[in-house]
Amino acid sequence: MRRLFSVLAVLAVVTGGSALIDRSVVGLSAQGGKVPQYELDSSWPPKLPNNWVWGVPTWVTVDKHDNVWVLHRPRTAMDANAAPSVVVFDKGGKFVRAWGGPGQGFDWPDTEHAIYVDHEDNVWITGINPRAGADVSKRIDDMLLKFNKEGKFLLQVGGRDSSQGNKDVKNAHQSAEIFVHAKTNEAFVADGYGNRRVWVIDNKTGAHKRQWGAFGNTPIDVPQPSGPAAPPPPDTPNGPDQFGIVHGMKVSTDGMVYVADRGNRRIQVFDLNGKYLTQGFVNRTTSNSSCGTVVFSHDKAQQFIFCPDFNKGEIAIVDRKTLQTIGAFGSRGAAPGQFQNLHSLTIDSKGNLYGPEVAPGRRLQKFSYKGLK
């Protein structure tokens, strides 16, 4: 069954006695421009081989060959026959390979978080234990891992239980996402859950290059929460002077760094050296945890940014030039096309979007690009 998300349309489809409601609130920009349209592809994700089952899917990325890489948490699987942590499908949905998990010579994260494949087909992995509760241990994921595409270990930056906070130039601290900028061969780290910084390291060696906090300020250490996440701090016109959770980050083709500050519901923009340029809010008054990462559209100008809203249950569409939200699709719920804790998002060369939902959603969805309208 395929469902088209149309401008301001609400479609109810009744199947097998249950109502599946798809909703879109995609609207036109104030300038009368067009916005991307999407259709749910219910044939995805492909079936796993070997009777494997998924744990909680946490991150999805697409490499330069349009292979789709899924990172999930096998420890959370409701079956002993969990797939390895990293699962790869080709652009046609055919299973390619799977690997990952603890091994010799490196500290595999107790709670897998993000995956990224760079321009050399090398694979970066981050972890955030014990923040998501996937492992009952209190060991802290203070490392970044790099492998080749077959899963051969290449590099570890930092080490478990090693971080000394935001001033530490050797260890990560529960990092959320990595993006490698090919032009400078630098890895930009959204560091992230434990720290409150953008951390830039050498892509080959992992050596520290530079770092910065919100507005280009010096990032400061904050106490780690021991219970449920606290609500965002009271709003000021510009928001807090420190990042909330640096949950996602990308570098645009014109060399600007876009940081998804999820807890503070904003995108901040910097140059490559950390000079603050501007910011824009996403669902500031309607969500308490919006924009988990930034995903650029594949047109030459990268006109649009797609933001997964963790709390509200939608994909917000943001004009990259103005940082104004010009549309969205999806709603919170368990039906196909809805979202329960949409954690991240990625895009392939055809403009199709892929998103994983952590608990309670625990699923993967794909949305096919249908053009501008």
Side-chain angles (χ1 to χ4, degrees), residues 13 25 65 90 93 125 177 191 207 215-216 245 286 292 330 339-340 373:
V13 181
V25 291
H65 313 288
D90 69 15
I125 303 286
E177 185 178 21
D191 189 40
F215 299 102
I245 296 177
T286 58
F339 304 108
Q340 293 185 101
K373 185 175 179 180

Side-chain angles (χ1 to χ4, degrees), residues 8 192 214 284:
L8 297 177
R284 191 181 193 188

Side-chain angles (χ1 to χ4, degrees), residues 190-252:
D191 189 40
Y193 273 85
N195 285 330
R196 296 291 184 269
R197 64 180 178 176
V198 174
W199 186 32
V200 186
I201 59 177
D202 184 271
N203 182 43
K204 293 291 187 182
T205 67
H208 170 83
K209 303 290 286 288
R210 56 193 176 277
Q211 66 176 42
W212 65 85
F215 299 102
N217 296 330
T218 300
I220 61 174
D221 296 340
V222 296
Q224 290 293 294
S226 58
D235 281 330
T236 60
N238 292 321
D241 291 335
Q242 294 287 323
F243 287 128
I245 296 177
V246 193
H247 199 265
M249 182 170 48
K250 300 289 191 306
V251 179
S252 62

Side-chain angles (χ1 to χ4, degrees), residues 23-245:
R23 182 180 68 87
S24 173
V25 291
V26 174
L28 299 182
S29 69
Q31 292 75 30
K34 296 180 179 181
V35 291
Q37 305 293 301
Y38 281 90
E39 180 178 273
L40 177 68
D41 182 351
S42 58
S43 69
W44 209 88
K47 186 177 180 180
L48 289 170
N50 305 319
N51 293 316
W52 283 336
V53 298
W54 293 107
V56 171
T58 175
W59 213 268
V60 182
T61 192
V62 174
D63 65 22
K64 65 184 181 182
H65 313 288
D66 264 357
N67 296 314
V68 181
W69 295 68
V70 180
L71 181 70
H72 77 115
R73 297 167 178 164
R75 298 173 186 85
T76 67
M78 299 177 181
D79 189 294
N81 196 32
S85 302
V86 177
V87 180
V88 189
F89 301 101
D90 69 15
K91 59 185 178 182
K94 182 181 178 181
F95 172 79
V96 176
R97 68 178 66 89
W99 52 266
Q104 294 295 321
F106 57 87
D107 298 321
W108 186 264
D110 285 342
T111 301
E112 296 88 345
H113 191 266
I115 185 169
Y116 176 76
V117 183
D118 67 22
H119 58 290
E120 296 176 328
D121 287 331
N122 293 319
V123 184
W124 288 88
I125 303 286
T126 74
I128 61 165
N129 202 65
R131 283 295 297 264
D135 192 302
V136 297
S137 78
K138 297 299 182 182
R139 300 192 305 181
I140 302 174
D141 291 336
D142 289 338
M143 60 286 185
L144 311 169
L145 297 177
K146 183 179 181 182
F147 301 85
N148 72 6
K149 65 181 181 180
E150 285 84 22
K152 179 183 177 181
F153 172 65
L154 301 176
L155 177 68
Q156 176 168 318
V157 181
R160 181 174 279 121
D161 297 323
S162 298
S163 174
Q164 300 301 308
N166 284 280
K167 294 181 180 180
D168 192 331
V169 298
K170 294 183 178 180
N171 295 281
H173 193 21
Q174 299 169 308
S175 297
E177 185 178 21
I178 296 179
F179 179 87
V180 176
H181 186 47
K183 290 182 179 179
T184 61
N185 207 28
E186 294 174 324
F188 287 72
V189 184
D191 189 40
Y193 273 85
N195 285 330
R196 296 291 184 269
R197 64 180 178 176
V198 174
W199 186 32
V200 186
I201 59 177
D202 184 271
N203 182 43
K204 293 291 187 182
T205 67
H208 170 83
K209 303 290 286 288
R210 56 193 176 277
Q211 66 176 42
W212 65 85
F215 299 102
N217 296 330
T218 300
I220 61 174
D221 296 340
V222 296
Q224 290 293 294
S226 58
D235 281 330
T236 60
N238 292 321
D241 291 335
Q242 294 287 323
F243 287 128
I245 296 177

Side-chain angles (χ1 to χ4, degrees), residues 250-271:
K250 300 289 191 306
V251 179
S252 62
T253 54
D254 52 4
M256 294 190 291
V257 183
Y258 287 74
V259 179
D261 185 4
R262 190 178 75 174
N264 290 325
R265 298 153 291 163
R266 64 188 177 188
I267 300 170
Q268 290 203 334
V269 187
F270 304 84
D271 70 13

